[in-house]
Amino acid sequence: MADRKNQADLSAAEKRNFIDAVIALKRQGRYDEFITTHNAFIMSDTDDGERTGHRSPSFLPWHRRFLLQFEQALQSVNPSVMLPYWDWTVDRSPSSSLWADTFLGGDGRSGDGRVTSGAFAFGGGNWPMNIRVDGRTFLRRALGVGTRELPTRAEVDAVLAMPTYDAAPWNSRSEGFRNHIEGWRGPNLHNRVHVWVGGQMTSGASPNDPVFWLHHCFIDKLWADWQRLHPSSGYVPVSAPRNVIGLRDTMKPWNDVTPEDMLDHTKFYTYR
């Protein structure tokens, strides 16, 4: 069973292999398919309508499947590559190793937010914005501008202590672990990190920034941590009302996987 590691613990070779595989998928046109899928669900998931990837109980299993599919695509390029995670309770500043030129590159420049360093900088020619929310063709970031502070470990622990997975009305107004980790209630965990990074990470096309995968990998790890802490508190609802995904309902766009299929991550990977 392969491990997903903290990005801070990756060797130089592991970082390079990850970057090379991501760029290879981009050149093949496969990377942009993931951006298109995510953007479509951001646009279609609504509080009072059909909701699968966001604002709903299936936020966590949907993204677990999405990450697994992307990880498998990376492994089709290099079988040794695993998704790393970004623990933003520890690596909390623009000077963290995550943003080094040898890994994801740095902050955006003042004025237009253009990332000018690292493998994903516009000047390198490896990372055109083909799936855009506006006319700008370059990766953008504004680290710490939209919100000054990333979530703390104490805030994470408070959310992990919540014993109930989710509750009616099964949307962004719900109480429970899922909505607090997604960020519509409580300390605003997942959503706040997107805003802290800025640039494309604040849009439905957020996978345009490769940090998307590391952020969501940590969210997935936190779900695994919650599952371990609350073994008797499973996914709900089992039988769902209209527009919500129940435990054994299939999830779009795959239509062959249910939340129940995604509950045990150790069938696919472990976390170090």
Side-chain angles (χ1 to χ4, degrees):
M1 182 65 62
D3 287 333
R4 289 180 176 177
K5 301 179 184 178
N6 188 323
Q7 61 82 27
D9 298 328
L10 296 179
S11 67
E14 287 173 325
K15 290 179 179 179
R16 185 72 253 167
N17 288 340
F18 175 77
I19 291 168
D20 287 348
V22 168
I23 290 174
L25 292 182
K26 183 73 165 180
R27 289 174 176 163
Q28 295 168 8
R30 297 167 66 191
Y31 191 98
D32 287 347
E33 294 173 4
F34 288 94
I35 303 172
T36 298
T37 295
H38 188 267
N39 191 48
F41 278 83
I42 281 281
M43 298 302 293
S44 64
D45 290 328
T46 63
D47 267 352
D48 299 313
E50 183 175 338
R51 48 198 183 276
T52 301
H54 310 85
R55 300 171 177 263
S56 65
S58 48
F59 167 74
L60 290 165
W62 189 91
H63 279 87
R64 181 168 282 178
R65 180 65 184 88
F66 192 54
L67 265 64
L68 184 61
Q69 186 179 37
F70 182 69
E71 188 170 62
Q72 292 167 342
L74 293 173
Q75 291 167 352
S76 72
V77 176
N78 184 333
S80 73
V81 172
M82 297 291 294
L83 280 176
Y85 63 89
W86 168 30
D87 182 348
W88 26 255
T89 70
V90 175
D91 295 306
R92 303 175 54 76
S93 78
S95 62
S96 298
S97 61
L98 175 73
W99 308 111
D101 291 352
T102 54
F103 197 28
L104 299 188
D107 197 1
R109 67 187 183 187
S110 61
D112 62 4
R114 181 185 295 191
V115 173
T116 60
S117 64
F120 305 105
F122 180 76
N126 295 317
W127 208 247
M129 294 294 101
N130 301 316
I131 311 300
R132 301 193 294 272
V133 295
D134 56 34
R136 290 173 285 191
T137 60
F138 46 84
L139 178 62
R140 293 179 289 112
R141 292 178 184 141
L143 304 183
V145 173
T147 182
R148 293 184 60 187
E149 294 292 332
L150 287 163
T152 66
R153 187 69 227 184
E155 289 173 323
V156 167
D157 288 343
V159 172
L160 289 177
M162 300 183 75
T164 302
Y165 178 80
D166 209 340
W170 317 111
N171 59 21
S172 71
R173 299 186 295 272
S174 300
E175 291 297 332
F177 167 74
R178 185 278 308 171
N179 204 28
H180 278 67
I181 196 171
E182 188 173 355
W184 302 110
R185 284 284 188 267
N188 186 4
L189 299 184
H190 157 266
N191 290 346
R192 195 192 332 172
V193 177
H194 276 268
V195 174
W196 187 89
V197 175
Q200 282 93 347
M201 275 284 279
T202 62
S203 74
S206 50
N208 266 312
D209 193 330
V211 78
F212 170 93
W213 306 104
L214 284 74
H215 169 39
H216 271 276
C217 196
F218 188 53
I219 293 294
D220 184 75
K221 181 184 183 299
L222 294 179
W223 181 29
D225 293 342
W226 182 88
Q227 290 176 298
R228 187 178 64 254
L229 290 169
H230 305 279
S232 62
S233 299
Y235 180 97
V236 288
V238 174
S239 297
R242 184 172 179 266
N243 293 324
V244 177
I245 301 297
L247 178 64
R248 299 180 183 90
D249 296 333
T250 57
M251 296 183 290
K252 297 176 180 179
W254 309 287
N255 299 315
D256 62 357
V257 62
T258 69
E260 186 174 46
D261 296 329
M262 291 290 102
L263 297 184
D264 182 8
H265 72 282
T266 64
K267 296 185 296 184
F268 311 108
Y269 52 84
T270 53
Y271 280 108
R272 182 182 300 183

